[in-house]
Amino acid sequence: MTWDAYNRRKETLRDLLAIADRRRDLTLTELLDTVDEDRKAFADETELLFDLQMSWFQRLSGQLDRLVTESTESPEMMAATAWVNTAAEMPGARALLDAHIHETALAKAFAKEQAFLAAAAGVPMSHPDLTGHGRRIMNSARESVVATATAA
């Protein structure tokens, strides 16, 4: 990928994330269609999903870094809080990722996110159910987001 293509793709992703935050009802195809000329920045919906997930993961990692220095919560609570905060900052990306949670192409990326959450919660990297523990943190955080949205 050329430097120009990389920059165009990042700019298009920023535009798409802003649109997704405002219009959480859009499918990936509909979202890509909102940026007609820039649609070619992504070969297909899976490529866009990978970039959405990477953007999400980077923000989640930043949230966790901030909480580690500022919070007095338990490590597991910090991991869940970081996920909830990131979901609040990136609701469109989260909605699209949740809609594609069972996408085979993203299974490895989601497993890495779950392992990251579990490790942040203090689970040893060698633990046989590392991703399962991370999935439970993620599901708990997701339920918290849904409960908060329902109460509002």
Side-chain angles (χ1 to χ4, degrees):
M1 180 182 303
T2 67
W3 187 247
D4 288 338
Y6 172 82
N7 285 325
R8 186 180 79 239
R9 187 174 172 139
K10 290 301 174 190
E11 185 177 324
T12 301
L13 180 62
R14 275 191 301 274
D15 293 344
L16 291 171
L17 285 169
I19 293 165
D21 284 346
R22 291 190 308 272
R23 297 274 322 273
R24 284 178 244 156
D25 61 316
L26 295 176
T27 65
L28 282 174
T29 302
E30 293 167 337
L31 181 61
L32 278 169
D33 287 343
T34 65
V35 290
D36 294 327
E37 183 58 33
D38 293 327
R39 191 185 203 293
K40 62 186 172 229
F42 297 94
D44 56 25
E45 286 81 4
T46 301
E47 211 172 80
L48 173 57
L49 274 173
F50 280 129
D51 276 15
L52 284 170
Q53 205 282 332
M54 178 56 75
S55 185
W56 163 267
F57 186 81
Q58 289 170 336
R59 185 79 59 93
L60 175 63
S61 178
Q63 274 288 340
L64 195 54
D65 284 347
R66 273 190 297 284
L67 286 173
V68 165
T69 60
E70 300 170 359
S71 180
T72 59
E73 297 177 322
S74 71
E76 186 163 339
M77 206 49 212
M78 274 191 294
T81 299
W83 197 97
V84 168
N85 291 349
T86 306
E89 289 180 0
M90 301 180 73
R94 189 68 255 160
L96 288 165
L97 291 170
D98 284 348
H100 296 275
I101 197 87
H102 299 293
E103 186 80 29
T104 307
L106 288 176
K108 189 174 183 177
F110 285 134
K112 284 183 178 186
E113 178 182 345
Q114 292 161 358
F116 173 74
L117 287 170
V123 178
M125 291 297 287
S126 60
H127 193 282
D129 192 28
L130 184 68
T131 57
H133 194 81
R135 189 171 31 261
R136 287 187 289 281
I137 293 170
M138 185 186 303
N139 289 339
S140 173
R142 184 178 288 113
E143 289 171 14
S144 173
V145 169
V146 170
T148 301
T150 305

